[in-house]
């Protein structure tokens, strides 16, 4: 009688347990790397928006983007987007790229999306308004034209415990 060689039940169980332990160690690393990648992308997009606000303001007689008719006038998210994406003149009026007399911009190719809430919308805060105590995830970005400050509109914290809203 010939005996065939194979794996015993104990050997198979040991391999399964070892694979389970390895998976328990590796899977959280992948989950954290996705969150870290989103945080890095958000920081890059936020930096891009902040640079746009600074450059636009320096080109337009120290008037920040978003005002419909200069400082103290109404704020409009669509005006902010137009001023970012179209050509403009020194007064902040916008037109298609290449229009005579509109020598500034466009500053961005598109309004960046917040990678955490997948929104590219801007919550505009009036000159007398304060930033909310915390983000409510209703907009991609929160912007106060009076100070030129822009923040992410998503809640949550990074691995170091810093709130994304405070980036």
């Amino acid at each position: 009688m010939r005996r065939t060689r194979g794996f015993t039940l104990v050997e198979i169980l040991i391999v399964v347990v070892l694979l389970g332990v390895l998976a328990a160690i590796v899977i959280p690393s992948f989950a954290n790397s996705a969150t870290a990648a989103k945080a890095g992308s958000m920081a890059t997009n936020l930096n891009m928006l902040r640079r746009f606000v600074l450059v636009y303001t320096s080109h337009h007689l120290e008037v920040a983007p978003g005002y419909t008719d200069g400082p103290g006038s109404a704020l409009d998210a669509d005006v902010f987007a137009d001023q970012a994406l179209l050509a403009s003149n020194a007064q902040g009026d916008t037109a298609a790229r290449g229009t005579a007399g509109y020598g500034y911009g466009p500053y961005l190719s598109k309004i960046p999306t917040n990678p955490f809430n997948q929104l590219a919308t801007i919550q505009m805060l009036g000159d007398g308004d304060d930033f909310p105590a915390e983000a409510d995830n209703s907009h991609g970005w929160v912007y106060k034209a009076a100070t030129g400050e822009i923040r992410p509109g998503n809640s949550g914290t990074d691995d170091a415990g810093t709130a994304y809203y405070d980036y």
Side-chain angles (χ1 to χ4, degrees), residues 51-158:
R51 286 177 187 252
F52 153 65
V53 170
L54 288 173
V55 173
Y56 181 93
T57 302
S58 70
H59 283 172
H60 295 85
L61 310 170
E62 297 304 314
V63 176
Y67 288 109
T68 56
D69 197 27
S73 66
L75 289 163
D76 188 305
D78 291 331
V79 170
F80 179 93
D82 286 347
Q83 291 169 336
L85 306 175
L86 299 172
S88 59
N89 62 16
Q91 291 74 36
D93 301 320
T94 58
R97 173 184 249 166
T99 303
Y102 292 80
Y104 302 111
Y107 298 93
L108 301 172
S109 60
K110 66 177 187 150
I111 301 296
T113 301
N114 183 318
F116 285 99
N117 61 18
Q118 301 302 312
L119 298 173
T121 56
I122 309 285
Q123 178 183 354
M124 307 293 284
L125 300 177
D127 290 354
D129 296 340
D130 291 326
F131 274 93
E134 57 188 43
D136 63 4
N137 289 306
S138 64
H139 292 82
W141 313 101
V142 182
Y143 171 65
K144 184 170 183 173
T147 61
E149 186 178 356
I150 191 161
R151 295 183 184 180
N154 62 292
S155 57
T157 59
D158 62 14

Side-chain angles (χ1 to χ4, degrees), residues 18-69:
L18 287 175
L19 289 174
V21 169
L22 287 173
I25 292 170
V26 171
I27 288 174
S29 298
F30 285 117
N32 289 343
S33 66
T35 303
K38 283 182 181 180
S41 178
M42 186 195 63
T44 299
N45 290 344
L46 186 59
N47 187 29
M48 188 174 14
L49 284 168
R50 287 176 174 160
R51 286 177 187 252
F52 153 65
V53 170
L54 288 173
V55 173
Y56 181 93
T57 302
S58 70
H59 283 172
H60 295 85
L61 310 170
E62 297 304 314
V63 176
Y67 288 109
T68 56
D69 197 27

